[in-house]
Amino acid sequence: MNFDLAQEHELLRDTVRQFAVEKVGPVAEELDREKRFPYELVAELAELGLMGMTIPEEYGGAGTDTLAYAIAVEELTRVDSSVAITVAAHHSLGTLPIYYFGDDEQKREWLPDLASGKKLAAFGLTEAGAGSDAAATRTTAKLENGEWVIDGSKIFITNAGTDITACVTITALTGEGEISNIIVPNGTPGYVISAPMEKLGWKASDTRELSFQGVRVPEGNLLGPRGGGFTQFLQILDGGRISVAAMGVGLAQGCYDLAYAYAKERQQFGKPISKFQAVQQKLVDMATEIEAARNLVYKAAWEKDQGRDFGRTAAMAKLYSGELSHRAANWALQIHGGYGFMDEYAISRFYRDQKILEIGEGTNEVQRMVIAKHLGL
């Protein structure tokens, strides 16, 4: 076995890390405080080819593998989660459904702008009464005279309401017990996007509630076969878990970086607090668990790239890295002491951003249900 990254992966890691440190880091606190979407950074990420990494070059993407994508998401989250989730949600949830399930015409229409990062896309699955039980969707789409007439609502949708959002793909009931996915372009009459939602963390990320009132889109906006939506979104969620798992590793690593630097600098009782065993043990535990989580995430990405069944490993990676990020954020803030409770220190932002990693793309409890199913339980 060889655990060395390929040269192209090392180069990618260095490039994204440099971008995150030099471009994202200096403005992350300001973006968070002002709850401002990072349009300038998204444009630069697009220039770097990071907005459509695994999409083939023929459609405007970078044509990389899943491991490269996971590395990029990890490195962005190491500095700021809002920027990272903007990339991850656009790629895994917004763009990949069209690439995986779209016909040639849909791919030609949507992918060039989405894969290149000129436009963003969103995926509308969650509803007020359909979260963990995603099959309980109540949004409906009825076929009338060659058009889908959509009624319903979605909530907690990322990237749906930015100035550069092109579309959202939603799940809807197209018949009794029949769920399908349908592309709804932004600006379609009857499609109403709420003001940005107020959140605990990810404050620079775009999160909206969507409402559909007699929204009409062409019959050709159906994504994949009618009634195939349930299978499609399960596949999308499996891949999305690799994204969020990579975010968990990145956030935990970022917490470790902050805690390590602070512990080496902070003096108490005449010496740096890094010399105290209690602090050392927290840092050692963080470093050890981060190494374990990173290997789990990279294995899930590798399995996906190998064309293997990666669902179990992705769920394990998402569960473990999410819970690790919780521990790491808590330990890192504890090492900062009272200063960690102040917003002037970045660890407070990491602490707030962490919690959603145990909820989004399937809660910890749902991950355990998924893993149990894979184990034959």
Side-chain angles (χ1 to χ4, degrees):
M1 298 179 69
N2 183 358
F3 287 92
D4 290 333
L5 290 177
Q7 185 176 2
E8 58 267 27
H9 291 133
E10 290 280 10
L11 178 60
L12 172 73
R13 165 169 281 165
D14 293 344
T15 300
V16 179
R17 183 173 298 174
Q18 182 179 3
F19 177 85
V21 170
E22 295 181 0
K23 298 288 188 176
V24 181
V27 298
E29 189 276 332
E30 178 183 318
L31 291 170
D32 179 80
R33 184 180 66 252
E34 297 178 359
K35 305 171 186 177
R36 177 159 52 88
F37 187 79
Y39 287 104
E40 299 84 357
L41 293 176
V42 170
E44 293 187 68
L45 287 163
E47 290 181 8
L48 288 174
L50 299 181
M51 298 303 291
M53 291 187 65
T54 69
I55 304 297
E57 294 180 14
E58 64 180 295
Y59 294 118
T64 66
D65 58 16
T66 308
L67 178 56
Y69 169 61
I71 290 170
V73 171
E74 175 190 338
E75 289 299 327
L76 290 173
T77 316
R78 190 171 177 174
V79 175
D80 182 64
S81 292
S82 289
V83 171
I85 189 56
T86 299
V87 173
H90 166 69
H91 180 275
S92 293
L93 302 181
T95 308
L96 283 184
I98 297 175
Y99 173 62
Y100 286 157
F101 311 119
D103 58 30
D104 289 341
E105 184 177 346
Q106 290 168 335
K107 290 178 181 179
R108 288 195 301 270
E109 178 180 0
W110 296 106
L111 288 182
D113 280 350
L114 298 180
S116 65
K118 294 177 182 178
K119 297 288 185 180
L120 296 180
F123 188 69
L125 174 64
T126 304
E127 299 181 5
S132 296
D133 183 11
T137 183
R138 292 293 176 266
T139 297
T140 62
K142 299 177 181 179
L143 194 57
E144 295 182 2
N145 301 319
E147 292 182 316
W148 293 107
V149 183
I150 305 169
D151 291 281
S153 63
K154 302 291 178 179
I155 197 167
F156 310 141
I157 309 305
T158 304
N159 289 341
T162 75
D163 293 343
I164 56 174
T165 300
C167 63
V168 60
T169 299
I170 64 164
T171 56
L173 290 168
T174 51
E176 185 68 30
E178 177 186 87
I179 297 177
S180 303
N181 287 326
I182 299 173
I183 302 171
V184 181
N186 278 39
T188 302
Y191 172 27
V192 179
I193 302 171
S194 76
M197 302 182 77
E198 297 290 335
K199 308 188 293 290
L200 173 69
W202 288 3
K203 290 181 178 290
S205 165
D206 181 78
T207 308
R208 308 280 183 145
E209 184 173 3
L210 314 179
S211 175
F212 305 90
Q213 303 168 5
V215 174
R216 291 179 174 270
V217 299
E219 183 178 358
N221 282 29
L222 179 71
L223 193 62
R226 178 169 176 167
F230 186 80
T231 301
Q232 290 172 8
F233 75 65
L234 287 182
Q235 182 177 334
I236 290 300
L237 291 177
D238 276 344
R241 284 172 186 140
I242 296 177
S243 299
V244 180
M247 290 189 68
V249 173
L251 188 138
Q253 183 68 62
C255 289
Y256 174 86
D257 295 342
L258 293 171
Y260 181 90
Y262 183 83
K264 299 284 273 187
E265 174 188 307
R266 174 68 167 165
Q267 298 273 333
Q268 287 289 278
F269 304 103
K271 57 184 176 181
I273 63 173
S274 62
K275 297 300 182 182
F276 294 107
Q277 191 176 58
V279 173
Q280 291 176 353
Q281 288 177 347
K282 286 184 172 62
L283 290 170
V284 166
D285 287 350
M286 290 166 69
T288 302
E289 291 199 52
I290 289 167
E291 184 71 12
R294 179 176 289 120
N295 278 281
L296 195 54
V297 172
Y298 288 7
K299 182 183 179 183
W302 176 81
E303 287 178 342
K304 186 173 188 291
D305 288 332
Q306 294 295 314
R308 301 187 184 186
D309 183 0
F310 64 94
R312 185 181 81 162
T313 312
M316 287 178 169
K318 198 272 180 187
L319 171 65
Y320 186 73
S321 68
E323 294 190 345
L324 164 60
S325 68
H326 179 97
R327 293 189 292 273
N330 190 53
W331 289 338
L333 194 147
Q334 187 73 17
I335 289 172
H336 279 75
Y339 287 107
F341 200 65
M342 302 296 119
D343 277 341
E344 64 184 282
Y345 280 76
I347 189 59
S348 70
R349 170 167 50 85
F350 279 67
Y351 190 86
R352 288 185 285 103
D353 286 340
Q354 179 281 323
K355 188 57 190 176
I356 190 60
L357 298 180
E358 300 178 88
I359 298 171
E361 288 283 351
T363 63
N364 292 2
E365 293 77 12
V366 166
Q367 299 311 312
R368 287 183 165 91
M369 291 167 58
V370 170
I371 295 166
K373 184 176 181 180
H374 279 285
L375 295 177
L377 300 174

